[in-house]
Amino acid sequence: MLDEARPGNQANLRPLSPRRARCRPIITLPNPSQTFEAHLAGLGLSGIGTVHRNQSVPLLYEHALGRSEGKLGAGGQLVVETGKHTGRSPNDKFFVREPGSETHIDWSNNKPVDGAVFDALLERVGTYLTGKDVYALDCYVGADPAYRLPVRVITEFAWHSLFARDLFIVPPASSANAAQAEFSPEFTVINVPLFEADSARDGTASPTFILVNLAKRIILIGGTRYAGETKKSVFTVMNYLMPLRNVLSMHCSANVGRDGDTAIFFGLSGTGKTTLSSDPHRPLIGDDEHGWSADGVFNFEGGCYAKMIKLRQDAEPEIWAASHRFGTVIENVVMDPNTRELDVDDASLTENTRSAYPIDFLPNFVRSGMGGHPTNIVMLTSDAFGVLPPIAKLSPEQARYHFLSGYTAKVAGTERGVAGVQPTFSTCFGAPFMVHHPTVYAKLLGERIAKHGVSCWLVNTGWTGGVYGVGKRMKIAYTRAMVNAAIEGRLAGARYETEPFFGLAIPSAVPDVPSDVLNPRNAWPDKAAYDAQAKHLAGLFAENFKRFESHASKEILAVAIRP
């Protein structure tokens, strides 16, 4: 089991079993004893300048500030701007088509690139880095030693290395030179944000590129300063590897109650995964990405990547505190040039402002990064139409339906080219990161829900009383009260009414929540307008699900939404 080096108020609720204690590598390396220098040479990076390997947080700060990569915030944060790329570039992400993975990849959702294109671009990156200093971090992805993936992150920016240090799992020995030679990476990330591809010459879609080569175990990133590309590319690799080992990889957060009951929260960016799982009464297992194996849930990461826009200290004190201290990386938040105080309400750079910090910056977390099988699954959506109920209980079949549908709304800045709020269906609540066909993940989810008798809920953290721009965002206090009542079992004996458009079971009462909030139709002044919007959204659900009808079971088809 990996231990973080920093102290905190941790909860270690599940000791490792003898089977878990055995670290079974995911990929067999041809030469596990390969030296660091030989590894670089094999990547075509033998001509680089000084390699700053496994640097401490203070040293990375010194380098980043000395190289004018960022500025020091009033709370001790490292504040950076990522330029024109303030979110992911999904149109620039490609998989190298090769025999070992070709039959597993869902090519309707993922774009192929020829191996020769990758090799030529890697060679050009090696030439570009000749004589340049780089930063290398040896870390792990996957808290469970039975499934963890050793990853080496090589970056052009010091702050990108700090970001990776905050987000991934760093073994204590990685800061000591004595243990460095023993690390054998099974995947390598090479991130060169200042190198831009020549589309005509390099065969890329734009100057930006995110290329995943599963055969050579390399992720090549360039032309973007947005550090989230590193995080999400590694998550994508785990989404490929884990189902091949009968592990459900999930875009979700997870926490655990006093009695050891685990809850997981599915949802896309901006739906509230980080906010709702950061609960002072429930230790956090992880913020964003997890696996669900035969033994339970485990975090892929060692940190959190929280949205900062309109963050309030009174509403989210744990995230606020973690975002205002030394070691945290703040992306694209406007800062006063004199006081160095953050203005979290200023979206002039982007709506997708971010805070990256280690999980032990929170006061209450699970040190092992592992929990038992979930008792509750919460599927989060941010409904821009304002018609879905703030909470509804799902049958197992409905849970699989909504998992495949993955409805929410994209918010400006989360991805390039998105303006305003755009309703979207992102299967598995993370379509851009899913490598296999969505039904592979849905089948694993259904099997686990059935085996462990999991209660499932749909929670709308979006709008109520009208569409976006007319209605109001659901109060976070109400959402917390509803979620807590659900996962604590206080809705087990509640009366439910089934609303007519989506077939969802709405509780008639929830402690500390006004009854007129629970049924969304009651919150609209114009009931006819609500009915029209609800029918419209139901039609969008039905149209989207047509692509899964040939794969879906009769039980799922029976609960499918019809306009």
Side-chain angles (χ1 to χ4, degrees), residues 257-323:
R258 294 184 181 91
D259 299 326
D261 57 298
T262 297
I264 60 177
F265 301 79
F266 284 107
L268 290 173
S269 173
T271 58
K273 293 193 314 300
T274 301
T275 298
L276 293 171
S277 58
S278 297
D279 187 322
H281 305 296
R282 296 179 63 87
L284 183 70
I285 298 173
D287 165 66
D288 194 42
E289 298 157 3
H290 292 77
W292 188 354
S293 72
D295 296 312
V297 171
F298 63 96
N299 190 6
F300 284 169
E301 301 178 296
C304 303
Y305 197 33
K307 292 199 76 171
M308 290 288 286
I309 193 70
K310 301 186 186 304
L311 182 70
R312 291 293 177 266
Q313 186 174 11
D314 57 345
E316 302 173 76
E318 293 86 6
I319 298 174
W320 180 276
S323 300

Side-chain angles (χ1 to χ4, degrees), residues 265-460:
F265 301 79
F266 284 107
L268 290 173
S269 173
T271 58
K273 293 193 314 300
T274 301
T275 298
L276 293 171
S277 58
S278 297
D279 187 322
H281 305 296
R282 296 179 63 87
L284 183 70
I285 298 173
D287 165 66
D288 194 42
E289 298 157 3
H290 292 77
W292 188 354
S293 72
D295 296 312
V297 171
F298 63 96
N299 190 6
F300 284 169
E301 301 178 296
C304 303
Y305 197 33
K307 292 199 76 171
M308 290 288 286
I309 193 70
K310 301 186 186 304
L311 182 70
R312 291 293 177 266
Q313 186 174 11
D314 57 345
E316 302 173 76
E318 293 86 6
I319 298 174
W320 180 276
S323 300
H324 288 76
R325 60 180 289 182
F326 180 80
T328 294
V329 175
I330 300 294
E331 281 185 326
N332 298 316
V333 177
V334 174
M335 181 175 63
D336 187 285
N338 296 316
T339 67
R340 300 300 177 96
E341 296 288 348
L342 304 179
D343 184 352
V344 296
D345 293 327
D346 191 332
S348 59
L349 294 177
T350 178
E351 289 276 346
N352 192 36
T353 54
R354 292 283 180 167
S355 172
Y357 51 84
I359 194 171
D360 61 8
F361 276 19
L362 298 172
N364 201 20
F365 69 98
V366 179
R367 172 171 285 276
S368 69
M370 295 183 285
H373 295 290
T375 305
N376 288 275
I377 292 175
V378 179
M379 296 184 178
L380 300 169
T381 181
S382 179
D383 178 24
F385 290 105
V387 297
L388 288 180
I391 188 167
K393 186 171 178 57
L394 301 175
S395 68
E397 294 75 26
Q398 285 178 314
R400 291 177 66 185
Y401 175 87
H402 282 277
F403 182 70
L404 283 171
S405 298
Y407 167 72
T408 189
K410 291 180 181 178
V411 180
T414 302
E415 292 182 5
R416 295 192 69 204
V418 176
V421 174
Q422 177 183 311
T424 187
F425 292 89
S426 185
T427 186
C428 307
F429 295 98
F433 322 119
M434 300 300 154
V435 185
H436 301 275
H437 192 274
T439 53
V440 171
Y441 307 98
K443 180 176 183 291
L444 287 169
L445 178 68
E447 291 172 352
R448 281 156 173 72
I449 289 174
K451 182 174 182 178
H452 302 289
V454 185
S455 296
C456 302
W457 310 86
L458 181 69
V459 171
N460 175 22

Side-chain angles (χ1 to χ4, degrees), residues 196 260 310 549:
E196 294 188 342
K310 301 186 186 304
E549 286 181 344

Side-chain angles (χ1 to χ4, degrees), residues 19 48 93 102 187 267 274 317 331 336 371 374 390 436 451 496 499 539:
R19 189 200 66 79
I48 57 179
K93 181 178 177 181
E102 185 172 23
F187 252 87
T274 301
E331 281 185 326
D336 187 285
H436 301 275
K451 182 174 182 178
Y496 291 86
E499 59 80 40

Side-chain angles (χ1 to χ4, degrees), residues 81-206:
E81 294 183 11
T82 62
K84 65 180 180 180
H85 293 87
T86 58
R88 294 181 302 101
S89 299
N91 293 330
D92 298 307
K93 181 178 177 181
F94 298 86
F95 283 84
V96 173
R97 190 186 287 273
E98 52 85 24
S101 60
E102 185 172 23
T103 58
H104 296 288
I105 296 176
D106 176 18
W107 294 111
S108 66
N109 184 54
N110 298 284
K111 295 179 293 186
V113 68
D114 191 79
V117 171
F118 177 89
D119 292 342
L121 195 53
L122 178 60
E123 183 177 357
R124 289 232 295 136
V125 167
T127 301
Y128 165 77
L129 287 176
T130 299
K132 290 184 171 64
D133 292 356
V134 298
Y135 297 83
L137 178 73
D138 297 336
C139 54
Y140 293 99
V141 180
D144 187 340
Y147 300 102
R148 70 184 182 186
L149 179 71
V151 175
R152 176 166 289 152
V153 181
I154 299 173
T155 67
E156 187 178 7
F157 285 165
W159 82 262
H160 273 198
S161 195
L162 177 60
F163 174 92
R165 203 180 197 285
D166 283 347
L167 266 296
F168 299 136
I169 301 171
V170 181
S174 68
S175 60
N177 293 331
Q180 291 183 353
E182 300 176 4
F183 188 87
S184 297
E186 294 178 10
F187 252 87
T188 303
V189 178
I190 305 173
N191 194 329
V192 283
L194 298 182
F195 177 88
E196 294 188 342
D198 180 335
S199 300
R201 173 180 177 178
D202 297 316
T204 58
S206 80

